[in-house]
Amino acid sequence: MTTYRMLWDLHTHTTYSHGTGSIEDNVRAAREAGLAAIGISDHGPDHKLYGVKEKLLPEMKEEVRRLRAKYPDIKILLGLECNIINSSGRIDLPKDSAAMPDYIMAGYHYGGVGENPLAALALHGGNKLKLSLCHGPNTRRMVNSIRQNAGIIRIVTHPADKGAMDIMAIGQACLETGALMEINDSHRALTAEHITRLKDLGVGFVIGSDAHRPENVGKFQRALDRALEAGLDPSRIINIVPDTEPVEETQKRRMPQWMQLL
């Protein structure tokens, strides 16, 4: 039976949003888990409940620089999990270019209101009627954001987890733009059913722990189990490899170019 390991985890949260550990806590946990790289990806500033304050992003960047010098054996990246909520496709990127992180992920979350708060409150879905009414608007917001931020959004987090939407339309937008679709270890999305439908599309996949506690950094087995249940070839998941493969050689081959340039 083949066992697997995670090369890097780009979806982790800290006390800068609603995680329980510091950036250094997550880095230490990543090293203990044997990861070659760790990404800190707190929520975008427009999230009304736990978005990171934009004025703190330079502080976070400086902390990452300090930790890179302290822990040269692991690649440390600063990301941001932006919020997809605007029908225009806008996501809550930092307004100051100096505060821009190393990479951007984007996902659909409760707590973001975007440019039309009343419309945002009506989204997501609940009962069957609401699900059917929200399906189109939710999908349009996702697809618009992915396409209008081509080359900016690197990963779409937990697609179709927070509301009714067309997973194939989202997958097609990711395929067109090169964005990876996340199989989230903490949330149910992508589900095995989603992966079954998407696997023949040719889109790329990545597993994210979505760790909100340091001890969950690098967790991936539940996500991998869903992928295997769906019949997805594990080689399609860019940050998971068999234990038998040498890490250094494999991660150079698997790592996206944008990560290599950081």
Side-chain angles (χ1 to χ4, degrees):
M1 178 179 174
T2 304
T3 57
Y4 295 86
R5 66 183 300 162
M6 178 182 263
L7 293 174
W8 56 82
D9 187 357
L10 297 180
H11 193 170
T12 75
H13 295 277
T14 73
T15 51
Y16 279 98
S17 60
H18 63 327
T20 64
S22 67
I23 295 176
E24 187 163 10
D25 289 334
N26 282 15
V27 171
R28 286 174 175 166
R31 293 174 74 240
E32 290 173 6
L35 300 184
I38 172 72
I40 307 300
S41 54
D42 285 304
H43 284 278
D46 279 2
H47 198 288
K48 302 307 178 187
L49 300 177
Y50 35 72
V52 64
K53 291 179 173 58
E54 187 170 337
K55 65 181 181 181
L56 295 179
L57 285 171
E59 176 183 307
M60 296 175 73
K61 294 181 79 167
E62 183 55 39
E63 175 67 355
V64 166
R65 279 193 286 268
R66 182 184 75 82
L67 294 174
R68 284 172 177 165
K70 185 174 181 178
Y71 302 108
D73 58 327
I74 185 169
K75 192 178 187 75
I76 306 170
L77 306 176
L78 180 63
L80 194 66
E81 187 183 12
C82 290
N83 298 290
I84 292 176
I85 195 68
N86 300 284
S87 56
S88 67
R90 185 182 66 83
I91 57 176
D92 51 345
L93 295 169
K95 298 176 179 64
D96 182 358
S97 60
M100 193 67 70
D102 297 318
Y103 66 98
I104 296 294
M105 308 194 302
Y108 202 63
H109 300 97
Y110 301 130
V113 297
E115 61 211 10
N116 191 337
L118 291 178
L121 291 174
L123 295 178
H124 308 303
N127 57 44
K128 288 185 178 179
L129 175 61
K130 197 172 183 183
L131 284 170
S132 65
L133 292 174
C134 293
H135 188 277
N138 287 349
T139 301
R140 284 192 292 275
R141 282 162 172 75
M142 289 288 292
V143 170
N144 285 349
S145 289
I146 295 166
R147 286 181 172 150
Q148 293 183 34
N149 292 283
I152 296 174
I153 297 176
R154 302 300 187 181
I155 299 170
V156 176
T157 58
H158 44 70
D161 177 56
K162 302 296 184 182
M165 55 191 72
D166 184 343
I167 196 66
M168 296 305 290
I170 296 166
Q172 182 62 41
C174 288
L175 181 65
E176 292 170 6
T177 62
L180 297 167
M181 299 190 80
E182 182 193 57
I183 308 171
N184 191 291
D185 195 71
S186 298
H187 293 276
R188 63 179 179 85
L190 293 166
T191 66
E193 180 183 354
H194 290 153
I195 300 167
T196 298
R197 297 178 62 199
L198 290 163
K199 66 183 181 182
D200 293 330
L201 188 62
V203 69
F205 298 95
V206 62
I207 289 180
S209 71
D210 201 353
H212 288 68
R213 297 182 296 174
E215 56 265 37
N216 289 333
V217 171
K219 298 291 185 182
F220 68 91
Q221 192 60 51
R222 288 179 296 189
L224 179 59
D225 287 345
R226 294 200 305 273
L228 294 175
E229 179 186 345
L232 181 70
D233 182 344
S235 67
R236 296 274 305 281
I237 305 171
I238 68 165
N239 62 334
I240 299 295
V241 296
D243 276 331
T244 53
E245 290 194 21
V247 173
E248 187 172 349
E249 176 186 327
T250 305
Q251 76 154 337
K252 287 179 180 177
R253 187 173 71 252
R254 290 291 193 93
M255 188 176 286
Q257 186 177 19
W258 63 265
M259 277 186 69
Q260 294 180 34
L261 295 175
L262 295 173

